[in-house]
Amino acid sequence: MPQAHEKLSCFLIPFLVAVSLAICSAGDDVSEQFVYSGGFAGANLTLGDAAVLTPEGLLELTNGTLRQKAHAIHPAPFRFRNASTARSFSASLVFGILCPDDDNCGHGIILFVAPGDYNFSAAFPSQYIGFVNGTSNGAAANHIFGVELDTDQNNEFRDIDGNHVGIDVDGLTSVASTSAGYFGDDDGVFHNLTLASGKAMQAWVDYDGEGKQITVAMAPIGTARPVKPLLSTAYDLSTVLTDTAYVGFSSATGSFNSRHYVLGWSFAMDGPAPAIDIAQLPKLPRFGPKRRPKLAQIIPPVATAAFILAIGTVTILLIRRRRKYRELREDWEVEFGPHRFSYKDLFRATGGFKDKNLLGVGGFGRVYKGVLPVSKLEIAVKKVSHDSKQGMKEFIAEVVSIGRLQHRNLAQLLGYCRRKGELLLIYEYMPNGSLDKHLYGGDDEKPVLDWDERFRIIKGIASGLLYLHEEWEKVVIHRDIKASNVLLDGEMNGRLGDFGLARMYDRGANAQTTHVVGTIGYLAPELGRTNKATPLTDVFAFGIFLLEVTCGQRPISQNSQGDQLMLVDWVLDHWLRGSLTETVDAKLQHYDVDQACLALKLGLLCSHPLQNSRPDMRQVVRYLNGDVQLPELTPTNESFQILGLVQNEGFDSYLMPYPSPMESINTTLSSLAAEK
Ligand SMILES: Nc1ncnc2c1ncn2[C@@H]1O[C@H](COP(=O)(O)OP(=O)(O)O)[C@@H](O)[C@H]1O
Ligand SMILES: *[C@@H]1O[C@H](CO)[C@@H](O)[C@H](O)[C@H]1NC(C)=O
Ligand SMILES: *[C@@H]1O[C@H](CO)[C@@H](O)[C@H](O)[C@H]1NC(C)=O
Ligand SMILES: *[C@@H]1O[C@H](CO)[C@@H](O)[C@H](O)[C@H]1NC(C)=O
Ligand SMILES: *[C@@H]1O[C@H](CO)[C@@H](O)[C@H](O)[C@H]1NC(C)=O
Ligand SMILES: *[C@@H]1O[C@H](CO)[C@@H](O)[C@H](O)[C@H]1NC(C)=O
Ligand SMILES: *[C@@H]1O[C@H](CO)[C@@H](O)[C@H](O)[C@H]1NC(C)=O
C-alpha cells in the first residue's frame, strides 16, 4: 500500500487512497515525498533478491545468509531534474545492522537514487553491496548515486576503514567518506558510532540542487539531527541523475554473517524529508542471529553442559585425590624434610595399603610391604593410629634421630609420614620376616633354624643392642626386645626392629618414665617397682630372648593343668639338676653343646632378678664372642642362690598387669612428651 504524504488519509479510508494517489501523481510540488514511520508492514515496495518485509514491520534486507544481496525500491519514481539541473532532495532513514562477530562484518547498506532501467540483477553481493558489479563499477553510464553505510574495509574501493559513511557516484569508490559518527550539538565533539552495533541509528542525506552540495548526517536513534553534518561535499549531480529515477536500498553480505534492517524511511523532493516518528518504529531483533541452524543451536548447550560436567568431574577427582593423599605437615617439620615421605608415594608403594601387602599386625598397628615408586626400594610401612598432636614434634624428632642410627643389626628406620589420626613409620624391608616365625613356625611353616644361624642371630642382636646402649651419642633403650621384634634380612642376619618404643635419654641423666612399655615375660622385675627402664632392663629381656632362641620356647607357656610355666624357671631348674642340655630345642638335631650351654647360662645370668648381677651388653658380647670366659658359675654359686631365693618374688612382680601395647601409641607419645 502506497504510503504517500498524509499517512492518516492513506491508511484509514480506502477511497481516499485513490484520491491521494491522484494528488500524488498530479500535484508535483506537494506529493513528491513519502514517509514509512509505523513500520513497513504491507508496504508497497519493490523487493529484490533477499529483501523481505517481516511480520514485525521491518524491512529485512539480509537475513544472515552468506553472499546474499538485496534491494528494496520505492515503487514510484521521482523527477530528479528540472531542465538539465538536478533538483534538491532529502532522505532520512532509520537502520540497524546486526553482526554476531564485531570484527567480521559485511557489507553494509546503500541508500540510492537510480534510473528505472538500472539492472540490479547484474549487481554483485559482498563488497559490491548489491549496487554494482566488477565491470560496471564506476561507469558513468550507471547514472546512480548512493550513500553507503559500509561495515567492511575494501582496498579495492579505497575504503578508509571498516565502519564508514561514503558518498558514491556511479560506483563504490566514494567521492567523499568519513568514519561513522556524529558531532554533538552541545560540545561539537565527534562521537563514534558503530554501524554494526546492532543498535538502531538514523541517517540523513540531502542534496542542495542550487549549492550543488551533498550533506550526510547521522545520530543514534532518538537523537535529533546534529547541526554539524558528518560529511559534506560539493558535487553536481546534474550529469549523474536521470530525469526520473527511483530511490531505494541495496545491501549485501559476503563471507560474514550480518543482518541489515531498515526500520523507517522518508523522502522528499525540494525540501526536508518528513520526520520519522521514532516511537512508532518496529523493534530491531535481539542481538545475535535469530534463526541458527539446528546443530549450531544444540551444540553450544550440549558442549557447555559437557564442559561443566568435565570440570566438575575433574574437580571432584582432584578433591578426592587431595583428600586421599592429604597429610599433616607443620612448620617445625621443615628440618625433618629429608625424612618425610609423601603419603602419595607410600600409598602407591603399598598398592593402596592392600591386604595382600600386609606383613603382619603388631602391637601398634599394621605393617605393609611396599616398593617406592622411583627408587624401587623395598620398604615396610608401619601404620600407627594416633589422635593427639601432643608430643608429636618430640616424637618425630626422635624418629628422625633414630633414623640416624645405623648398624648392621638394626632394621633401618628410613623416615615417617603424618596424616590426620595416623602416623606412618617407614623401615627397610626385611625379606625373611620376624624371628619368632622361624622359631615356632606359623601359618607358613618355615624350616627350623639350625644352631649356627641361631647363634649368629644371637650375637648380631647382642652387638646391635650394644650399639644402642653404648656406641651411639645417646643411650638408646630398646625396651621391647623379643623374638618377634627381631627381623631377618636377606642373609638371615638378625636385625632389631620396632623402634617405636625406644626412648632415649642423655647418657648419665635419669630416665623418668611414666608408663612401663614392653612385653610380659620380658619385663625385668624392678620395672614393676620403679617403672624405670635402664640398659639393664634391656639386658634382662635379652636374657629371656637368649633362652627363647636356644630352647625354642616362649617365655611363658601353659602346662596341661593350665598353670603358667616360666621358661627361665624351667631352665634354672634343669641347670640346678645338672640337665641343662635337656632344655635345648628338641627340633635341633645337631648343635654345638658348648655354645648352647653358654647361651643358656648367659641367658640366666642376664635375666637375673637383681639388676646389679646382670652383665652389661659389652660384657655379653665378649662372652658370646668367646673373648672372655663366662665366670665359672655353679648352681651353688652365691648369686644363683639368691636367684633361686628371689625368683618367685621377681616373677610375681613381672606378672603384674602392665598396660597392653594395644592401648595405642598415645600412651607412648604422651609419656614421651613428659619425658622431654
Ligand atoms: N621391616 C620389616 N620388614 C619385614 N617385615 C616386617 C618389618 N617390620 C615388621 N614386619 C612384620 O610385621 C609384623 C608386625 O611388626 P611389629 O609391629 O613390629 O610387631 P610387634 O609390634 O609385635 O613387635 C612383624 O611380626 C613382622 O612380621
Ligand atoms: C504499488 O505501487 C505501484 C506504483 O505506485 C502501483 O503501480 C501498484 O499498483 C501498487 N501496488 C499495490 C498492491 O498497491
Ligand atoms: C534467508 O533468505 C534466503 C533467501 O534469500 C533464504 O533462502 C534463507 O532460507 C533465509 N534464511 C533464513 C535463516 O531465514
Ligand atoms: C524548474 O526550472 C524553471 C526554470 O529554470 C524554474 O522556473 C522552476 O521553478 C524550476 N522548478 C523547480 C521545481 O525547481
Ligand atoms: C540484468 O542482468 C542479468 C544478469 O547480468 C541478465 O541476465 C538480465 O538479462 C539483465 N536484464 C536486463 C533487463 O538487461
Ligand atoms: C555488470 O553489470 C552490467 C550492467 O550494470 C552488465 O551489463 C554486465 O554484464 C555485468 N557484468 C557482469 C560480469 O556480470
Ligand atoms: C573512534 O574510532 C576510531 C577508530 O575506530 C578511534 O581511533 C577513535 O579514537 C575513536 N574516537 C572516539 C571518540 O571514540
Side-chain angles (χ1 to χ4, degrees):
M1 181 178 264
Q3 200 187 338
H5 58 101
E6 294 131 303
K7 211 176 61 192
L8 263 180
S9 58
C10 289
F11 265 117
L12 295 180
I13 309 152
F15 82 89
L16 274 182
V17 172
V19 177
S20 51
L21 274 174
I23 295 167
C24 283
S25 48
D28 278 356
D29 293 339
V30 265
S31 61
E32 293 183 280
Q33 62 177 44
F34 64 82
V35 57
Y36 295 93
S37 248
F40 292 92
N44 185 2
L45 286 178
T46 308
L47 302 177
D49 297 309
V52 292
L53 300 178
T54 71
E56 299 82 34
L58 291 165
L59 166 55
E60 182 185 80
L61 294 169
T62 68
N63 62 17
T65 303
L66 307 185
R67 292 191 58 80
Q68 250 183 340
K69 60 173 181 157
H71 54 267
I73 302 168
H74 184 74
F78 293 92
R79 284 192 54 223
F80 277 88
R81 290 206 306 185
N82 182 3
S84 58
T85 311
R87 296 165 58 191
S88 297
F89 60 89
S90 170
S92 163
L93 73 148
V94 176
F95 67 96
I97 301 174
L98 277 69
C99 191
D101 180 359
D102 288 347
D103 294 333
N104 293 312
C105 256
H107 279 267
I109 299 173
I110 293 177
L111 169 77
F112 65 76
V113 178
D117 59 357
Y118 187 76
N119 190 352
F120 280 98
S121 305
F124 289 168
S126 299
Q127 71 267 33
Y128 299 97
I129 318 184
F131 194 44
V132 290
N133 66 31
T135 47
S136 66
N137 182 45
N142 289 340
H143 295 289
I144 50 173
F145 160 80
V147 171
E148 64 176 36
L149 305 162
D150 194 340
T151 58
D152 189 44
Q153 182 170 20
N154 270 96
N155 296 332
E156 186 183 348
F157 308 129
R158 282 177 254 134
D159 284 350
I160 52 162
D161 60 25
N163 182 51
H164 61 271
V165 177
I167 293 169
D168 297 343
V169 174
D170 288 331
L172 289 165
T173 307
S174 303
V175 296
S177 67
T178 187
S179 288
Y182 66 102
F183 296 95
D185 280 348
D186 40 357
D187 52 10
V189 170
F190 180 77
H191 300 278
N192 278 347
L193 279 175
T194 303
L195 297 172
S197 62
K199 294 186 184 115
M201 47 192 86
Q202 190 165 8
W204 294 265
V205 177
D206 294 275
Y207 178 67
D208 174 4
E210 266 176 52
K212 310 198 188 315
Q213 190 81 14
I214 305 166
T215 304
V216 181
M218 66 184 297
I221 192 162
T223 304
R225 177 180 180 157
V227 175
K228 184 178 174 184
L230 172 65
L231 190 58
S232 187
T233 193
Y235 202 98
D236 186 0
L237 290 178
S238 301
T239 54
V240 177
L241 301 180
T242 50
D243 285 351
T244 57
Y246 291 77
V247 290
F249 300 104
S250 77
S251 179
T253 58
S255 29
F256 305 122
N257 173 1
S258 302
R259 289 189 286 153
H260 300 91
Y261 292 96
V262 178
L263 292 74
W265 184 22
S266 68
F267 179 85
M269 296 299 303
D270 293 326
I276 296 169
D277 186 354
I278 303 300
Q280 291 196 50
L281 291 178
K283 295 274 175 294
L284 266 179
R286 300 284 298 166
F287 199 90
K290 191 160 58 182
R291 281 156 292 172
R292 282 185 291 182
K294 276 201 180 103
L295 206 60
Q297 234 165 10
I298 291 161
I299 286 173
V302 167
T304 309
F307 183 72
I308 289 170
L309 206 70
I311 292 277
T313 312
V314 167
T315 311
I316 288 168
L317 283 180
L318 281 179
I319 288 172
R320 278 179 56 174
R321 193 184 146 96
R322 279 193 63 162
R323 191 170 296 162
K324 187 164 143 191
Y325 297 137
R326 190 189 290 153
E327 299 173 16
L328 278 183
R329 208 178 274 264
E330 288 171 67
D331 292 346
W332 52 261
E333 287 183 64
V334 171
E335 57 175 307
F336 308 134
H339 299 276
R340 171 110 201 187
F341 282 69
S342 84
Y343 186 72
K344 200 166 124 189
D345 281 353
L346 297 179
F347 191 87
R348 293 205 178 142
T350 57
F353 296 101
K354 286 261 164 57
D355 275 351
K356 74 171 168 68
N357 288 323
L358 187 68
L359 288 171
V361 184
F364 289 95
R366 297 165 158 261
V367 183
Y368 294 88
K369 191 202 160 159
V371 180
L372 285 179
V374 178
S375 58
K376 302 283 171 239
L377 184 70
E378 288 189 312
I379 53 170
V381 183
K382 185 178 281 192
K383 255 187 154 187
V384 178
S385 68
H386 75 86
D387 303 319
S388 110
K389 277 174 76 176
Q390 219 205 342
M392 190 38 92
K393 181 175 179 178
E394 290 78 6
F395 185 76
I396 297 299
E398 184 170 302
V399 164
V400 168
S401 80
I402 287 167
R404 298 201 337 259
L405 291 169
Q406 283 193 340
H407 188 274
R408 56 190 297 268
N409 295 109
L410 296 181
Q412 183 72 34
L413 179 63
L414 301 172
Y416 75 100
C417 176
R418 247 156 42 83
R419 301 189 81 202
K420 196 164 182 288
E422 209 169 43
L423 176 73
L424 297 104
L425 298 173
I426 296 97
Y427 293 91
E428 231 180 321
Y429 173 67
M430 296 292 135
N432 286 311
S434 54
L435 176 61
D436 58 336
K437 295 196 180 108
H438 293 264
L439 287 179
Y440 312 120
D443 316 330
D444 47 344
E445 200 70 39
K446 296 230 164 61
V448 174
L449 280 177
D450 66 28
W451 174 253
D452 285 349
E453 281 174 320
R454 293 192 195 198
F455 198 61
R456 207 161 56 84
I457 290 165
I458 287 171
K459 288 206 280 191
I461 296 305
S463 118
L465 199 52
L466 172 62
Y467 173 80
L468 290 181
H469 284 177
E470 294 183 28
E471 289 171 7
W472 200 53
E473 61 199 51
K474 285 175 172 174
V475 173
V476 179
I477 300 176
H478 187 282
R479 285 170 188 256
D480 202 13
I481 294 179
K482 56 178 174 177
S484 68
N485 265 342
V486 170
L487 299 162
L488 298 173
D489 66 15
E491 285 109 45
M492 294 301 274
N493 292 308
R495 302 248 210 157
L496 259 178
D498 210 348
F499 294 89
L501 301 177
R503 317 270 193 94
M504 267 173 291
Y505 59 95
D506 289 322
R507 214 182 282 267
N510 267 350
Q512 284 185 318
T513 46
T514 49
H515 293 277
V516 169
V517 281
T519 305
I520 290 169
Y522 298 87
L523 295 169
E526 72 269 20
L527 277 172
R529 292 188 295 270
T530 63
N531 269 1
K532 194 169 104 181
T534 63
L536 287 175
T537 59
D538 269 358
V539 171
F540 182 92
F542 180 76
I544 304 293
F545 167 76
L546 274 180
L547 301 179
E548 188 180 4
V549 175
T550 313
C551 306
Q553 293 196 35
R554 297 192 187 275
I556 303 174
S557 52
Q558 283 187 345
N559 64 13
S560 44
Q561 282 88 55
D563 297 329
Q564 282 196 321
L565 206 69
M566 307 307 298
L567 177 62
V568 66
D569 254 345
W570 183 67
V571 175
L572 184 61
D573 193 45
H574 274 278
W575 187 37
L576 291 171
R577 290 198 261 131
S579 55
L580 191 59
T581 51
E582 282 178 29
T583 63
V584 176
D585 193 347
K587 291 192 288 285
L588 289 171
Q589 262 111 44
H590 312 284
Y591 63 93
D592 183 317
V593 178
D594 290 343
Q595 280 178 357
C597 287
L598 171 67
L600 289 168
K601 286 179 195 167
L602 186 59
L604 287 174
L605 187 61
C606 288
S607 51
H608 197 290
L610 296 178
Q611 48 177 327
N612 291 335
S613 303
R614 297 171 205 153
D616 62 19
M617 283 317 292
R618 189 168 295 282
Q619 287 170 297
V620 169
V621 168
R622 284 193 190 126
Y623 293 141
L624 286 171
N625 288 342
D627 300 342
V628 178
Q629 282 287 295
L630 196 66
E632 198 40 60
L633 304 167
T634 60
T636 52
N637 180 294
E638 189 191 332
S639 100
F640 280 91
Q641 279 176 344
I642 294 166
L643 175 61
L645 286 171
V646 299
Q647 63 178 246
N648 288 330
E649 189 228 329
F651 292 143
D652 284 351
S653 61
Y654 76 49
L655 282 174
M656 274 171 54
Y658 292 116
S660 130
M662 280 299 187
E663 275 178 11
S664 125
I665 200 160
N666 284 335
T667 327
T668 316
L669 292 178
S670 52
S671 60
L672 267 168
E675 215 177 290
K676 289 281 159 170

